Amino acid sequence: MFFNTKKYKEEVEKNHKRDLAQEPSRLSMLFLAALATFAPTRIFLRLHKKRIEDDATIEPKKGNFEQVPIIYFHGFRGGDYTTKVMIQQALIDKGTSKYLKVTTDLLGNFKLEGTWTGDRNPIVQVVFRQRLVGVYAIDYYLRFTLPFLAQRYHFSQYSAIAHSLACPCIVRTEMRKSRKKQFPHLVKCAFIAGPFDGVVYLGDIPNVNAFNQKGRPAVVNLHYLYLLLRRKRFNPNISVLNIYGNVLDNTNSDKFISVTSAKSIRYILAPYAKSYHEVEIRGKKYAEHSWMHDNPFVIDIIDKFIGLKK
């Protein structure tokens, strides 16, 4: 009963064809992720001279309105392929082919490609170059990436679509920065397969944890406790959609995230959010962790929730 990292890698990357020459070495990724995980060592990352490679186009705004971008985030071991299908459908629903791709690394460098569109809801894909990262490192990514984009493209609110480990990090960042007026804040967030209270066999054993009468998980990890203690910081104007999977085997999970872990965020956010919706995806073919972000049914639900289609 251990977390099978080899199997996870195979499942997550089964549809991913990447140029290994363009990717940092595993040793480099792990080293920088370790520095980003601990607050005292992040100073060494900030000593690096920042580079911005800007090949993006900025369209003039097409009206007198405040832009609210829709930003896609991947999780542990993810990449641009994780959100590619979702973005392709979002562009179809919008009737455009233009979006902004933002690649960033833990040294604070950015590569900007594509187009920041002039409509109300520009599509933005964020890619973490060091992708072998945990909760604290993704937190660090978000804390410098979001204000960078907000300052460059002049927005104060955004909608987030997140997969896997990015889900709890989006919530953590919103709570941590709730009192920072200069930091961009959520309007809507859609979570896909979020590990809010552990990963299967890595802090969460299938069919062991359960909800009490109030809806709180009986066993909570430190990350969940962090969110629980700060739940009142969650802005009541944020709408939440939580999508999770159950492959209907004896684990009650999507193979990697248990239903209990994925649903546990309801106890924290539902009482405070503007709206809270849950959708369970079932079946081996449709609900597997690394497939859900490409599932047309999941994408359709998200695009309706986010306002891209009726």
Side-chain angles (χ1 to χ4, degrees), residues 241-255:
L241 170 65
N242 185 26
I243 301 176
Y244 56 92
N246 188 344
V247 295
L248 300 178
D249 62 6
N250 59 2
T251 65
N252 287 307
S253 73
D254 65 9
K255 289 189 178 180

Side-chain angles (χ1 to χ4, degrees), residues 30 45 86 149 157 173 176 183 203 241 253 282:
L30 292 175
L45 298 174
M86 290 191 288
L149 294 175
Q157 296 178 311
T173 300
R176 179 186 287 268
F183 198 91
L241 170 65
S253 73
R282 294 185 173 186

Side-chain angles (χ1 to χ4, degrees), residues 135-136 168 172 195-197 220-228 268:
V135 168
Y136 297 116
R172 285 171 62 94
F196 296 103
D197 192 20
V220 301
N221 63 18
L222 290 176
H223 300 304
Y224 187 87
L225 186 61
Y226 178 94
L227 301 179
L228 181 63
I268 293 175

Side-chain angles (χ1 to χ4, degrees), residues 19-283:
D19 184 355
L20 292 176
Q22 299 297 319
E23 184 172 89
S25 68
R26 178 170 296 190
L27 182 61
S28 169
M29 285 194 282
L30 292 175
F31 176 69
L32 292 180
L35 291 180
T37 297
F38 304 101
T41 57
R42 289 173 184 164
I43 188 174
F44 297 109
L45 298 174
R46 291 191 285 268
L47 290 174
H48 182 270
K49 186 177 180 180
K50 308 296 188 292
R51 297 192 310 271
I52 301 174
E53 185 179 340
D54 190 353
D55 297 320
T57 301
I58 302 177
E59 290 184 346
K61 213 163 55 161
K62 299 174 182 177
N64 185 21
F65 50 77
E66 182 179 354
Q67 291 183 294
V68 180
I70 302 169
I71 309 181
Y72 292 76
F73 301 92
H74 66 81
F76 177 75
R77 279 196 183 278
D80 56 2
Y81 67 96
T82 304
T83 55
K84 180 180 179 180
V85 176
M86 290 191 288
I87 290 174
Q88 287 174 339
Q89 185 58 52
L91 296 175
I92 292 172
D93 292 337
K94 279 188 67 179
T96 183
S97 60
K98 299 177 181 179
Y99 72 99
L100 180 72
K101 180 178 180 180
V102 180
T103 305
T104 182
D105 63 29
L106 288 170
L107 295 171
N109 300 315
F110 288 92
K111 181 177 182 181
L112 307 172
E113 305 169 271
T115 303
W116 174 270
T117 56
D119 57 278
R120 291 181 184 274
N121 304 118
I123 301 292
V124 181
Q125 180 188 46
V126 171
V127 180
F128 305 133
R129 199 151 187 265
Q130 285 80 30
R131 57 199 188 88
L132 301 180
V133 288
V135 168
Y136 297 116
I138 293 180
D139 276 358
Y140 183 65
Y141 263 128
L142 295 177
R143 294 213 299 274
F144 70 77
T145 299
L146 286 169
F148 168 81
L149 294 175
Q151 183 177 18
R152 196 173 191 88
Y153 298 108
H154 311 292
F155 65 89
S156 61
Q157 296 178 311
Y158 73 104
S159 295
I161 299 173
H163 177 256
S164 193
L165 198 58
C167 299
C169 295
I170 291 293
V171 181
R172 285 171 62 94
T173 300
E174 181 64 31
M175 290 178 175
R176 179 186 287 268
K177 299 295 183 178
S178 62
R179 297 166 186 166
K180 302 291 184 180
K181 294 182 178 180
Q182 301 303 315
F183 198 91
H185 293 287
L186 286 170
V187 174
K188 294 182 178 181
C189 49
F191 303 133
I192 308 169
F196 296 103
D197 192 20
V199 176
V200 169
Y201 299 134
L202 193 62
D204 183 24
I205 300 175
N207 302 312
V208 170
N209 204 359
F211 297 111
N212 63 20
Q213 291 182 344
K214 294 183 178 180
R216 197 191 79 180
V219 181
V220 301
N221 63 18
L222 290 176
H223 300 304
Y224 187 87
L225 186 61
Y226 178 94
L227 301 179
L228 181 63
L229 294 176
R230 290 161 179 79
R231 61 193 183 279
K232 292 183 179 180
R233 294 187 184 181
F234 197 74
N235 193 304
N237 295 316
I238 301 172
S239 298
V240 180
L241 170 65
N242 185 26
I243 301 176
Y244 56 92
N246 188 344
V247 295
L248 300 178
D249 62 6
N250 59 2
T251 65
N252 287 307
S253 73
D254 65 9
K255 289 189 178 180
F256 301 103
I257 310 301
S258 72
V259 170
T260 302
S261 178
K263 289 185 66 174
S264 64
I265 195 63
R266 179 186 184 95
Y267 180 80
I268 293 175
L269 299 187
Y272 300 97
K274 179 179 180 180
S275 66
Y276 182 92
H277 305 279
E278 278 185 349
V279 179
E280 180 176 276
I281 307 299
R282 294 185 173 186

